Amino acid sequence: MKNATRISQRDSIPTRQWVLLAFGLLIATSYLFPVYWMVVSALKSANEVNAAIPTLFPREPTLNAFRWIFERENIGRYLANSFLIAGGSTALTLLLATGSAYALSRVRSIWMDAVLVGVLLSQVLPPPLLVTPMFVILRQLDLVNTYTAVILATTSKTLPFAVIMLRTTFAQIPIEIEEAARVDGCSRLMAFLQVTLPLARVGYIVVGSLVFLQAYGEFVYPMSLMNKQAMQPATVGLYGFVGADYSDWGNAMAFATVMVLPVLIIFVALQKRIVSGLTSGALK
Amino acid sequence: MITWTRRTVLGIGLATAALVAMPATAQTVTMWHIFGQPSEPGLGNIKRWNDANPSTQIDHKFIPFGQLSQQLIKGIATGDVPDLITIDNPNTASFASLGALEDLTDMVAKSSVIKASNFYKGSWGVTQWKGRQWAVPGEANTIALYYNADMFRAKGLDPDKPPKTWSELLAITEKLTDKSKNVYGLGFSAIQNEEGTSQWLAWLEQSGGSLTNLNSPDAVAALQVWTDLVAKEQVSKDALVRRQFEMTNAWTGGGSAMVISGPWELQRMKDVKFDWRVAPMPVRDGKNIQASALGGFVWGIPMGAKNKAGAFKVIEFMSLQPQMAQAWLGGRLPPSPNVVIDNPQFPAAYAAFKKQMEFARPRGPHPEWPTISAAVQTAIQEALTGRAKPAQALEKASKVIAPLLQKNPLPAAQ
Amino acid sequence: MHSIPVASALGTDRLSLRYRFDRALDSALIWPVLVGATVIFLAVFIGYPVIYNLVMSFQEVNVGNLRSMHRPFVGLANYIKLLDDPLFWVVARNTASFVIGNVVLQCLGGLALALYFAQRFPGSGWLRGVILAGWMMPPLVIGGVWKWMLTSDNGVVNFVLQSLGLVSGKIYWLSDPAMSLISVMAANIWFGLPFNMILIAAGLAGIPQDILEAAALDGAGPVRRFFSITLPLLAPTLYALVALSTIYTMRAFDLIWTMTHGGPVDASNIFPVWSYRLSFEVFDFGTGAAISTEMLVIVFLVALVFVRSVRAESRI
């Protein structure tokens, strides 16, 4: 019976699929309009950007803004730094989060509740207010002016999020599956590594991606914890366009477009893995 | 497995730290500055110093303008201060009174370059506090009236006769406002931060009012003018949330006929397609007081800086004629009336701003300037949004400001 | 102990380190150890700064004494000053509206998007990935773009609304105190939607398909299936999301700072913005710290609610 239902759905009116797609496209394009606006503004001349009547499509498209940022700003270096910091933070976050998320998902006790509350509370304060004491700590560890410092600081921001979301992921994996593996002779560690983790694959990809993006967009910590201009990531470079007396939005948009593009490409490519994970019904 | 990986990460991290951290020798001057764009004259000057002084290099770091105070404060709190920093001039007294800056009086006394006669009175005045000197002017600017000569001609006005008084300005603004074309007559910034205050102070002072007496009819008149312009939709309501640069954006795009802003806008005038001019600020009829707020940064040496002598030498270098003359290339004015700039770009604009600089008045010096400014900003916002009448709004502001001025009076106006 | 070691099915030696390691993992002590890494990390990097702020909120702090921790102790004076300030209630109200509006709309929006794109149609996965582009934009740029779009005079939004004839005059999205909070909320919701969407989508993926199919065969319609099966199974994800969203929104700063600076007349001023202004524009650190402490208290209550929901979690 099950198969019959499935087959009949597949052969059902294909127009339904097209309608869904059309409507989906509409949703996506409406949502993405600000992103479109960012890219389009980067292609407009300075005058057109400020025109009294806005144009939805550049009348005289120009690559001036892009030329400016590639020639004058050291965008390659900025992006390399951004990826380094984001990658390092993601790795460290997922590493630290795994153990605690798993423990929190399996054990219920007043201590675990306290840890959960503590983890949530640790996210309340925005980085500008945390950065001064954090600098003091990092100086004690003699880590000031290093990428490590920024990675540690950024991880402190993303770790709570990872713990909470991975906890939920693990909680969705029934403990019976692990216990079945242990009955078969696996040690707890093996059960975790060979049974639980693969089932949590999708969760890791999603949480890891979001952590990466958060770290990629981090601004306060790199700005405050590193004094070397050459180590700064793209987010700091972006603020160079908003100065004491100017807000150079045109060039800023070009910079932001170039900043977002590599990440976007990676994500669209990763999307395939997420889709396969999400549609395969991992628990089967 | 997990422990091993973490150890490796930490190990790699520490190794990187060792490689990257360069020991600061006594021959380095660390500088934090706000020169964001690669074309900033400040960056050019830093390079000139570095080329001329291979044994004493400036190790500089850019800090976004909005972060400057925060970074300096964090530096003081943690003892990680640079040797030299650029500070927005109205904040000088605050930082000085709270012990954040080194006392430069003695170094200045011995200097042959840094002398009061070499700087505008207003710029120099801002750097003094309680009889001592805490900073050296780095740059100066003020505001003037930009206008679109083509629009003047289109409405039958003579672009060679820009408005010289408030009544002329208001009449022209009315004439040039064209709702059907989405054009406002005038633009200025009333944003809720220091830019808004610095814009309005010109009107307050030209009106004959002052911060010591915000309840006076003159002061109220100055705010009333702004309120009326916004209420009549001759100035965009967005002035409340836009910076000066953004209001000028609207002007270059043809959204307003005139805009009040500073010389930093000149950088992009080459892209402007219409006939644009600059004129000094119009004065209030009957009062004939020329005044506008003084802007620009000052050089300061934070308390606890390691290389004070080196930092001061850099300041002297930056205050020499060749370096100061670079300022105009970036649309900034040197803080000195004696600097000669040959063949300035935009000579007419240069003349207009140089003239206005003679009347530029400092903000403060007052240790509580940020609080005073915040009270003024609130008053402006309340009046312009219609939440309160100008008189009421200013009454409220003066309640905050009066006690502060009693404790620390402002110096008399020049 | 010295008998001949017996290799188990996995080839581990009873005396070998590996075997002992595996046995150690079986003990109940492993849980605190696993959690310990996170706890210690956060205690060092967040705990200390939080205490630093807490201590500062009870002191009179200015730039002069910022360096040393020895500052005049003023007890609750900063807090009292805070509550006496009429601005406090304005900011509190703004923060409440901002947070509640954001969390509810982001969650509902994310749910709607996740459900929509969970359907099988060509390109659904790809479109979902592209929507994530919204979350990749740095807040400074989002603030800038939305500020542009919402400009009263030549902003795209007003332009489109007027061209379509939906409004007759200009809407002052940012400069009208009545609208500015709504505008920054809209921008923030826009920003948060992909985040919510993707997390709910991951949660949806964890729901076994056969339960849904069995229910369909039993005659349950899609609405009934959603409310009886999907929603309860999605509950843990939703609770986590609401807790996190609330905290993130309470922390929102960059966007508002760029778009309106908290104005006009403090109409879009929320706690983190106010705290920043007090600390770094007026240099009143003690009061700035008091605000952040008070934010902690609010989040503590939210966290308690979340923990209760975790306790109520039932397994499939």
Side-chain angles (χ1 to χ4, degrees):
Chain A
M1 272 316 288
K2 259 192 215 169
N3 280 338
T5 320
R6 275 209 208 114
I7 290 172
S8 69
Q9 273 182 344
R10 227 179 280 143
D11 283 352
S12 72
I13 313 164
T15 45
R16 182 168 182 270
Q17 303 268 314
W18 291 112
V19 169
L20 284 178
L21 175 60
F23 202 56
L25 271 173
L26 185 64
I27 295 177
T29 42
S30 337
Y31 177 78
L32 288 176
F33 183 75
V35 182
Y36 169 76
W37 197 245
M38 171 183 87
V39 178
V40 137
S41 304
L43 292 168
K44 286 186 185 171
S45 67
N47 277 334
E48 203 181 335
V49 153
N50 299 317
I53 301 177
T55 50
L56 284 172
F57 199 76
R59 228 170 271 144
E60 326 154 343
T62 163
L63 287 175
N64 274 340
F66 287 101
R67 219 172 284 143
W68 172 278
I69 60 167
F70 276 105
E71 285 170 13
R72 312 290 208 103
E73 310 269 346
N74 213 325
I75 192 147
R77 191 190 69 206
Y78 278 131
L79 286 179
N81 286 330
S82 287
F83 271 90
L84 177 60
I85 292 171
S89 307
T90 308
L92 186 59
T93 302
L94 290 179
L95 216 51
L96 286 176
T98 301
S100 12
Y102 183 65
L104 285 168
S105 72
R106 294 292 177 237
V107 178
R108 298 288 155 80
S109 75
I110 192 81
W111 292 112
M112 292 305 187
D113 287 351
V115 168
L116 213 46
V117 169
V119 164
L120 273 174
L121 281 183
S122 66
Q123 299 189 90
V124 179
L125 297 187
L129 297 178
L130 294 176
V131 87
T132 301
M134 210 179 272
F135 187 91
V136 170
I137 297 169
L138 287 163
R139 214 211 348 232
Q140 300 284 51
L141 295 172
D142 209 15
L143 283 173
V144 182
N145 247 345
T146 63
Y147 289 111
T148 313
V150 178
I151 289 175
L152 288 171
T154 310
T155 303
S156 76
K157 186 174 166 194
T158 52
L159 184 57
F161 163 72
V163 167
I164 292 181
M165 291 323 295
L166 284 178
R167 190 208 76 86
T168 309
T169 308
F170 286 128
Q172 281 186 325
I173 298 172
I175 199 166
E176 291 81 18
I177 294 187
E178 290 168 15
E179 284 170 3
R182 295 191 62 204
V183 162
D184 281 348
C186 274
S187 69
R188 186 173 269 181
L189 179 62
M190 298 284 332
F192 178 75
L193 289 177
Q194 294 189 336
V195 175
T196 319
L197 263 191
L199 287 176
R201 199 184 66 232
V202 172
Y204 267 88
I205 295 181
V206 171
V207 172
S209 322
L210 293 175
V211 164
F212 185 86
L213 285 177
Q214 276 190 313
Y216 192 74
E218 185 52 46
F219 161 70
V220 179
Y221 291 135
M223 162 103 271
S224 314
L225 301 174
M226 295 195 295
N227 278 331
K228 298 260 172 257
Q229 194 66 47
M231 291 165 74
Q232 302 288 354
T235 38
V236 175
L238 185 61
Y239 270 84
F241 291 105
V242 180
D245 12 58
Y246 52 79
S247 295
D248 191 358
W249 288 120
N251 286 332
M253 294 295 142
F255 192 94
T257 306
V258 174
M259 205 177 126
V260 165
L261 212 54
V263 187
L264 186 58
I265 293 173
I266 295 176
F267 272 78
V268 173
L270 256 185
Q271 181 57 39
K272 290 205 181 124
R273 302 209 98 205
I274 300 181
V275 168
S276 69
L278 290 174
T279 53
S280 69
L283 285 182
K284 296 266 186 60
Chain B
M1 239 184 83
I2 297 173
T3 339
W4 160 242
T5 327
R6 209 186 309 158
R7 221 181 280 144
T8 324
V9 168
L10 208 52
I12 294 176
L14 288 170
T16 321
L19 280 171
V20 168
M22 285 195 301
T25 65
Q27 303 298 69
T28 309
V29 173
T30 48
M31 182 202 289
W32 288 359
H33 60 73
I34 49 170
F35 311 136
Q37 302 268 299
S39 56
E40 293 263 9
L43 287 176
N45 286 338
I46 291 175
K47 187 164 186 303
R48 285 165 155 228
W49 167 279
N50 279 342
D51 289 341
N53 297 281
S55 59
T56 307
Q57 293 285 291
I58 296 178
D59 181 12
H60 63 111
K61 173 177 157 180
F62 159 69
I63 299 195
F65 179 67
Q67 307 287 317
L68 198 58
S69 294
Q70 186 197 340
Q71 292 296 317
L72 178 58
I73 288 164
K74 176 208 127 230
I76 293 166
T78 56
D80 173 57
V81 290
D83 296 316
L84 192 54
I85 191 167
T86 58
I87 302 177
D88 196 22
N89 77 63
N91 287 333
T92 314
S94 306
F95 283 121
S97 72
L98 300 171
L101 295 173
E102 291 276 349
D103 185 343
L104 300 179
T105 321
D106 298 329
M107 286 203 263
V108 168
K110 291 201 207 99
S111 167
S112 52
V113 175
I114 316 283
K115 289 192 202 308
S117 54
N118 206 19
F119 292 92
Y120 284 110
K121 249 171 70 190
S123 302
W124 190 255
V126 151
T127 61
Q128 316 290 317
W129 173 245
K130 286 245 178 340
R132 311 290 291 176
Q133 179 146 8
W134 303 93
V136 176
E139 174 201 292
N141 59 53
T142 188
I143 50 179
L145 184 70
Y146 287 81
Y147 61 99
N148 185 334
D150 292 340
M151 283 193 187
F152 266 53
R153 281 189 274 264
K155 296 279 179 176
L157 296 162
D158 183 358
D160 292 320
K161 292 208 175 71
K164 290 213 163 45
T165 65
W166 283 17
S167 53
E168 283 174 25
L169 179 68
L170 293 173
I172 293 180
T173 306
E174 173 127 22
K175 239 184 154 171
L176 291 171
T177 303
D178 189 343
K179 294 227 175 79
S180 65
K181 290 212 191 88
N182 219 7
V183 174
Y184 289 96
L186 182 61
F188 50 73
S189 168
I191 192 174
Q192 195 169 357
N193 71 18
E194 190 62 38
E195 282 190 63
T197 308
S198 69
Q199 282 252 330
W200 187 65
L201 282 175
W203 297 73
L204 173 68
E205 286 162 353
Q206 288 190 325
S207 163
S210 82
L211 288 171
T212 46
N213 188 4
L214 282 175
N215 290 322
S216 71
D218 289 333
V220 176
L223 192 51
Q224 189 72 50
V225 155
W226 269 26
T227 312
D228 291 338
L229 281 168
V230 170
K232 285 193 272 197
E233 292 188 11
Q234 290 168 2
V235 168
S236 169
K237 246 179 134 173
D238 275 351
L240 283 162
V241 291
R242 277 204 193 148
R243 309 181 64 189
Q244 294 166 104
F245 192 84
E246 292 166 336
M247 290 307 285
T248 309
N249 276 345
W251 176 73
T252 59
S256 70
M258 302 185 278
V259 73
I260 298 176
S261 191
W264 52 78
E265 312 286 6
L266 292 167
Q267 288 293 79
R268 53 218 181 100
M269 287 308 169
K270 57 184 182 316
D271 294 324
V272 168
K273 297 217 168 38
F274 52 82
D275 178 8
W276 59 273
R277 314 269 181 95
V278 181
M281 292 286 287
V283 293
R284 186 174 177 199
D285 312 66
K287 299 278 182 180
N288 280 328
I289 307 174
Q290 254 298 15
S292 53
L294 178 72
F297 69 85
V298 298
W299 299 105
I301 300 181
M303 176 70 73
K306 298 194 181 68
N307 190 355
K308 301 190 244 285
F312 194 77
K313 283 212 186 65
V314 173
I315 296 178
E316 286 183 321
F317 178 78
M318 297 293 181
S319 309
L320 293 170
Q321 156 80 20
Q323 274 67 254
M324 292 242 234
Q326 299 294 311
W328 188 248
L329 289 174
R332 286 130 190 358
L333 288 165
S336 165
N338 307 332
V339 171
V340 173
I341 297 180
D342 298 315
N343 294 324
Q345 50 177 357
F346 313 117
Y350 180 68
F353 277 111
K354 200 141 192 263
K355 180 107 189 98
Q356 188 71 35
M357 272 303 300
E358 293 170 29
F359 309 111
R361 295 197 195 172
R363 289 168 275 167
H366 198 281
E368 309 271 7
W369 180 261
T371 313
I372 294 175
S373 185
V376 171
Q377 293 156 28
T378 307
I380 295 173
Q381 297 256 314
E382 285 182 344
L384 261 52
T385 53
R387 282 271 178 90
K389 294 232 178 310
Q392 285 171 286
L394 287 172
E395 162 90 42
K396 193 165 140 199
S398 72
K399 280 207 180 74
V400 173
I401 297 177
L404 296 173
L405 290 181
Q406 248 191 339
K407 218 165 119 204
N408 285 303
L410 284 169
Q414 286 86 331
Chain C
M1 262 216 349
H2 295 287
S3 58
I4 303 164
V6 175
S8 76
L10 290 171
T12 57
D13 207 356
R14 187 175 291 179
L15 295 177
S16 79
L17 214 52
R18 173 80 182 271
Y19 185 66
R20 287 219 201 96
F21 185 62
D22 285 345
R23 287 304 298 271
L25 287 183
D26 279 345
S27 80
L29 284 177
I30 189 60
W31 303 119
V33 168
L34 283 177
V35 172
T38 301
V39 169
I40 293 173
F41 187 87
L42 289 179
V44 169
F45 287 103
I46 304 273
Y48 170 67
V50 167
I51 294 174
Y52 181 92
N53 262 289
L54 192 64
V55 168
M56 220 164 54
S57 72
F58 293 118
Q59 298 172 324
E60 189 193 307
V61 193
N62 52 47
V63 182
N65 60 25
L66 196 56
R67 178 87 206 265
S68 75
M69 290 290 278
H70 301 293
R71 310 167 190 135
F73 179 75
V74 290
L76 291 175
N78 285 327
Y79 290 93
I80 295 174
K81 192 164 110 183
L82 204 59
L83 290 170
D84 270 344
D85 192 340
L87 196 51
F88 178 82
W89 301 107
V90 173
V91 176
R93 211 181 49 223
N94 289 344
T95 312
S97 315
F98 185 76
V99 170
I100 294 173
N102 260 278
V103 173
V104 169
L105 290 172
Q106 275 184 18
C107 212
L108 287 179
L111 186 60
L113 286 174
L115 286 173
Y116 187 83
F117 287 102
Q119 295 172 103
R120 315 269 182 89
F121 59 86
S124 63
W126 190 85
L127 281 175
R128 187 169 38 198
V130 167
I131 286 185
L132 207 58
W135 209 63
M136 294 183 200
M137 285 169 65
L140 173 71
V141 173
I142 297 178
V145 170
W146 275 84
K147 194 173 178 184
W148 247 351
M149 286 178 12
L150 292 175
T151 307
S152 325
D153 305 318
N154 59 352
V156 166
V157 173
N158 271 348
F159 180 67
V160 166
L161 288 175
Q162 284 175 325
S163 310
L164 292 178
L166 290 169
V167 289
S168 52
K170 291 182 194 161
I171 303 186
Y172 296 101
W173 297 102
L174 296 172
S175 40
D176 184 352
M179 297 297 296
S180 66
L181 190 62
I182 294 176
S183 304
V184 295
M185 245 170 51
N188 204 44
I189 292 172
W190 178 89
F191 175 55
L193 275 178
F195 175 76
N196 282 260
M197 176 190 76
I198 215 100
L199 287 172
I200 293 178
L204 280 176
I207 296 174
Q209 285 298 304
D210 39 1
I211 296 185
L212 285 168
E213 284 174 0
L217 286 174
D218 281 345
V223 174
R224 180 90 196 283
R225 285 202 305 267
F226 177 73
F227 280 103
S228 312
I229 303 174
T230 314
L231 206 51
L233 289 179
L234 208 49
T237 311
L238 287 175
Y239 274 112
L241 205 53
V242 167
L244 286 174
S245 282
T246 309
I247 295 170
Y248 285 163
T249 318
M250 283 271 286
R251 206 169 67 175
F253 171 78
D254 285 304
L255 208 73
I256 300 183
W257 197 251
T258 313
M259 281 177 79
T260 59
H261 218 84
V265 206
D266 297 304
S268 55
N269 198 357
I270 62 173
F271 283 128
V273 172
W274 195 27
S275 176
Y276 185 91
R277 253 206 227 156
L278 281 174
S279 295
F280 299 113
E281 282 189 349
V282 186
F283 309 136
D284 182 359
F285 304 100
T287 318
I291 295 180
S292 58
T293 308
E294 167 260 316
M295 273 161 66
L296 266 173
V297 170
I298 296 176
V299 170
F300 181 73
L301 300 170
V302 171
L304 283 181
V305 172
F306 173 65
V307 165
R308 288 202 70 197
S309 78
V310 163
R311 281 194 158 226
E313 242 169 51
S314 56
R315 295 292 187 71
I316 306 163

